[in-house]
Amino acid sequence: MDLGLSNRVALVCGASRGIGFAVAEELAREGAQIAICARDANAVAAATARLAKTGAKILPIIADLSTTEGTATAAAKALEHYGRVDVLVTNTGGPTPGPSLSHDWAAWTRASELLLRSAVELTRSLVPGMQQRKWGRVIGITSIAVKKPVPSLVLSNSLRAAVTGYYRTLADEVGIDGVTVNTVLPGYVATERLEELAAATTKRTGATHESIFESYRTGTPVGRVGAPEEIAAVVAFLASERASFVTGQAILADGGRSGTLL
Ligand code: NAD
């Protein structure tokens, strides 16, 4: 299937590692020109070098997307370099784990800035240009938490729902301009984030690393955790020309783990 991504310009956020990196690599292999963004200069440089092996044009951007300055920098640099952004993939690291009564309002604010503000501000900067050009794709990386709250991850469970509400509303408003808006909901995926969550569970409950990963595997119908590339493939399809009639959707890529009917 030709995804029609050749020479499209994609800004992939949180792309120095994990799911974001895999998305950037998949889109680069499909012929897109890529801007990647993350906070750490060394990590961004290393990711850029790996992505350059695809032969695609890669623009590295260093920015903290939990700040207004960071989102403005990411959008401005991508536009300055490529002249447009056709595909926006919003993604950052996940918030601090913890149960419902554990976080003070400062922690809620930090998590909102990381997950919700980053998505809203990047989208507000880049979608008007997509509307003018009558073509665009916005894909937000959220979480299985949107379908089924994850124990001891109240910040994620709450704020992913807010991001989903924002994007579902936007989809209705910009579809007429050829812009589709969807979210992708990963289940348990083998990244550094998952290792960090397992370490937090060990600290909280004393469970071993092996038993935690065993529960990730056995609770997932396909019997394993996912690979970042398996999320990236779904994102690439949603970014493609071929997905032009898919909008306003929250697409699970979780190996069946959510167990929901819809
Ligand atoms: P990760 O922590 O491995 O990678 C996150 C990436 O975002 C890194 O490149 C990091 O540098 C970048 N980043 C973090 N904070 C940033 C900031 N403030 N500004 C700019 N860049 C920032 O995470 P991942 O596993 O690849 O997950 C990506 C997203 O998907 C996260 O929000 C995560 O919570 C969510 N998710 C992951 C899983 C999983 O099992 N891995 C499951 C469900 C949801």
Side-chain angles (χ1 to χ4, degrees), residues 14-19 38-39 63-66 91-94 114 141-143 160 186-189 191-194:
S16 66
R17 69 183 201 190
I19 293 168
R39 283 165 307 180
D64 180 348
L65 296 173
S66 68
N91 174 55
T92 62
L114 180 70
I141 306 298
T142 61
S143 170
R160 310 291 191 182
Y188 291 107
V189 179
T191 67
E192 290 179 50
R193 164 76 175 168
L194 196 61

Side-chain angles (χ1 to χ4, degrees), residues 157-177:
N157 295 340
S158 305
L159 291 161
R160 310 291 191 182
V163 172
T164 307
Y166 177 66
Y167 277 148
R168 186 64 193 85
T169 307
L170 179 71
D172 288 347
E173 296 166 355
V174 299
I176 199 74
D177 297 318

